[in-house]
């Protein structure tokens, strides 16, 4: 009897705990709840052991965004995403089945009333990063897994609801009708089983100042130090340089990664995904890229700085007229005060960053490198 009563109470409570998703009106599956499908296919539900139709775009292709809703990607600037374990914890709570569950004391709380294990991390030191990918196609039906290029990484994700993704300064404009983007995340093996996260959305590059297209993305190779798996040294020549595909892992079909349970593919230096904008994804980014291998020659980065108009380095938005696009503005700043909330959240971040415990070496292997055009011969030791 007691069991039945507690089961009843349990099923009445809104389903809050667990996992994470990118939430924005431009996404496929924005209004999908745990009742929409005959299984829990909310955007936050993890993806694994599925056939292609079931994992691709989270099986949300029949739940498109409304006409005119785009997630904007301003070149050379950050785009701010909202990542949470429940839609009710985001600015879009109004259309969430459980209503507003945001944390009044911490707008950056990814999963109010839960511990960090709900979003699969033991703490700040245990973050493995997440990423945004883009396909320069406007028809989602035409997009294949091999079309996506990771253009921005946040290596300290999922940690705050408002998460910044730096947009490369040289992103070319999207075709008429915009581009197709997706959020990708594979979490640390220390807090939960092997699983993928994918939320597709409609996006548009704004303020573009370059027409140079992206290179064809290839599969990222494991090359960074990984002390936990007894690899103490990075193997920089083993890395994939330039445009890279997202990781497709642990499904039944169309995987491109075959790593084991305790060595998941991750969006950080271990697979040569630098923190922030992926500035080397264009067809002219490298003068040469040898076939990667532990003992191969290193690639040679091209000096592309001369190809950017000088004015763009100072102020691209006023100096160069952005492409006329005539699309509805669906950026975060429209509407409900989330910008003020974001400003507050940003200040709160200083505390979140304090408790480091890993050794400096391990940290550097994961999140310290930056591309430097002036030191283009030293591609790996960039710090
Ligand atoms: C989601 O639901 C809200 C509230 O019912 C509605 O206004 C909005 O148009 C819906 N969006 C989509 C993409 O279905
Ligand atoms: C990752 O997101 C956090 C939270 O918004 C932000 O403070 C940080 O600067 C971002 N990292 C990068 C490399 O953009
Ligand atoms: C080189 O990359 C391959 C493919 O990701 C990986 O299997 C191998 O372990 C890597 N070798 C080293 C030394 O990092
Ligand atoms: C950027 O523009 C401002 C105002 O036009 C000017 O004062 C400043 O010197 C410029 N900075 C650079 C680095 O060109």
């Amino acid at each position: 009897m007691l069991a039945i009563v507690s089961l009843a109470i349990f099923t009445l409570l809104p389903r809050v705990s667990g996992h994470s998703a990118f939430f924005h009106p431009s996404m496929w599956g924005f209004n999908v709840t745990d009742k929409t499908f005959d299984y829990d296919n909310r955007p936050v539900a993890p993806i694994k052991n599925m056939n292609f139709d079931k994992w691709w775009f989270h099986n949300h292709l029949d739940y498109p965004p409304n006409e005119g809703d785009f997630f904007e990607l301003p070149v050379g600037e950050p785009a701010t995403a909202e990542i949470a374990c429940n839609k009710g914890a985001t600015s879009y709570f109004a259309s969430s089945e459980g209503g507003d569950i945001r944390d009044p004391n911490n707008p950056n709380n990814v999963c109010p009333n839960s511990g960090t294990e709900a979003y699969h991390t033991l703490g700040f030191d245990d973050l493995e990063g997440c990423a945004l990918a883009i396909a320069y196609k406007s028809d989602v039906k035409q997009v294949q897994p091999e079309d996506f290029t990771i253009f921005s990484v946040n290596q300290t994700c999922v940690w705050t609801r408002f998460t910044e993704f730096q947009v490369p300064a040289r992103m070319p404009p999207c075709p008429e009708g915009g581009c197709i983007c997706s959020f990708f995340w594979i979490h640390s093996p220390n807090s939960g089983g092997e699983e993928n996260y994918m939320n597709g959305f409609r996006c548009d590059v704004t303020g573009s100042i370059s027409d140079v297209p992206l290179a064809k993305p290839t599969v990222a190779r494991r090359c960074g130090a990984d002390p936990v798996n007894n690899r103490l040294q990075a193997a920089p020549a083993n890395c994939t340089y330039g445009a890279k595909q997202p990781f497709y892992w642990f499904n039944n079909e169309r995987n491109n990664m075959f790593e084991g349970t305790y060595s998941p593919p991750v969006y950080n230096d271990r697979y040569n995904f630098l923190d922030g904008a992926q500035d080397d994804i264009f067809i002219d980014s490298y003068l040469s890229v040898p076939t990667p291998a532990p003992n191969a020659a290193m690639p040679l980065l091209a000096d592309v700085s001369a190809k950017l108009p000088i004015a763009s380095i100072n102020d691209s938005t006023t100096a160069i007229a952005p492409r006329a696009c005539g699309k509805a503005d669906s950026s975060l700043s429209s509407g409900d005060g989330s910008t003020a909330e974001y400003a507050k959240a940003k200040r709160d971040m200083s505390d979140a960053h304090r408790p480091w415990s890993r050794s400096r070496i391990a940290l550097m292997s994961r999140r310290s490198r930056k591309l430097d055009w002036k030191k283009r011969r030293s591609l790996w030791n960039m710090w």
Side-chain angles (χ1 to χ4, degrees), residues 138-181:
S138 54
D139 179 3
V140 74
K141 301 263 159 58
Q142 301 299 315
V143 178
Q144 296 296 313
E146 297 75 24
D147 294 331
F148 273 130
T149 296
I150 300 293
F151 68 92
S152 190
V153 164
N154 191 307
Q155 293 187 355
T156 49
C157 167
V158 172
W159 189 245
T160 56
R161 169 184 150 209
F162 293 106
T163 302
E164 284 183 355
F165 290 92
Q166 312 297 325
V167 180
R170 301 179 71 222
M171 294 283 277
C174 290
E176 208 52 49
C179 289
I180 305 295
C181 285

